[in-house]
Amino acid sequence: MALVTAARRLAQVSLREYSRRSSAVPRGAWQPAERSFTTGTRPLRSDSKVTVHFINRDGEKITVKASPGDSLLDVVINEDLDFDGFGACEGTLACSTCHLIFDEEMYKKLGPVTDEEMDMLDLAYGLTDTSRLGCQICLTKSLEGMVARVPESVADIRQTKDGSA
Ligand code: FES
């Protein structure tokens, strides 16, 4: 019994000593971070989504919300859009199946076309002056409301090269 009492006293003393030492931490010394659930002036992620309209091969308009930074190929995959054969090379610039057509105003906002993208575009069916590869276009807020038309047919250069199509 005496042993239990001694152990309790020791525990109380240790607890008091710990409390005293904890309160003796000088200002500015490390303190556990406070949790904050505010976002300050930064908009919530859902507010910063970009609206994208796709016109499917059969003329159907499909509207989705996507995150800035996502490529149009990411959007098609994430939204599980059923564009037959779209994005066959998964964005490695080896197929041109992610060919999309834009209106002239939007096309000018898409940024420069690299030589590699241009090489693949040259192999796309139905190429227009405002064609781009969806895997090479990353969304920004300035592209809000973009309309991307999926061409009626696609060419997958990988199949043409190996003679399977
Ligand atoms: S997905 Fe193949 S070139 Fe874009």
Side-chain angles (χ1 to χ4, degrees):
M1 188 67 176
L3 189 59
V4 172
T5 307
R8 279 189 186 145
R9 277 197 193 127
L10 184 60
Q12 286 172 342
V13 169
S14 295
L15 192 59
R16 255 186 270 134
E17 180 65 14
Y18 173 78
S19 298
R20 191 184 64 75
R21 285 187 185 177
S22 297
S23 64
V25 174
R27 281 191 180 273
W30 179 88
Q31 293 286 315
E34 287 182 26
R35 291 178 185 256
S36 172
F37 296 99
T38 62
T39 58
T41 56
R42 209 168 141 198
L44 293 172
R45 190 166 170 81
S46 60
D47 294 337
S48 63
K49 294 273 186 178
V50 180
T51 304
V52 180
H53 309 282
F54 289 97
I55 308 291
N56 202 347
R57 293 193 175 106
D58 59 9
E60 179 191 10
K61 186 175 185 180
I62 302 160
T63 300
V64 296
K65 294 262 188 190
S67 299
D70 283 353
S71 73
L72 289 176
L73 174 61
D74 294 332
V75 177
V76 170
I77 292 168
N78 293 341
E79 296 294 327
D80 201 20
L81 302 180
D82 187 20
F83 301 154
D84 191 34
F86 194 93
C89 79
E90 301 176 348
T92 58
L93 267 179
C95 71
S96 80
T97 61
C98 60
H99 175 203
L100 293 169
I101 301 169
F102 301 88
D103 66 38
E104 223 173 296
E105 191 180 329
M106 184 54 68
Y107 179 81
K108 288 176 188 168
K109 293 182 183 179
L110 298 179
V113 184
T114 63
D115 290 344
E116 293 82 7
E117 182 181 354
M118 191 58 82
D119 289 346
M120 276 298 124
L121 270 172
D122 284 342
L123 304 169
Y125 284 136
L127 186 66
T128 72
D129 290 342
T130 58
S131 290
R132 291 290 304 267
L133 294 179
C135 67
Q136 301 303 302
I137 296 168
C138 288
L139 291 175
T140 63
K141 277 305 274 178
S142 68
L143 302 179
E144 171 66 30
M146 74 155 36
V147 178
R149 190 161 56 82
V150 182
E152 286 178 20
S153 53
V154 292
D156 185 347
I157 185 63
R158 299 167 314 152
Q159 291 176 348
T160 322
K161 277 182 180 169
D162 70 12
S164 61

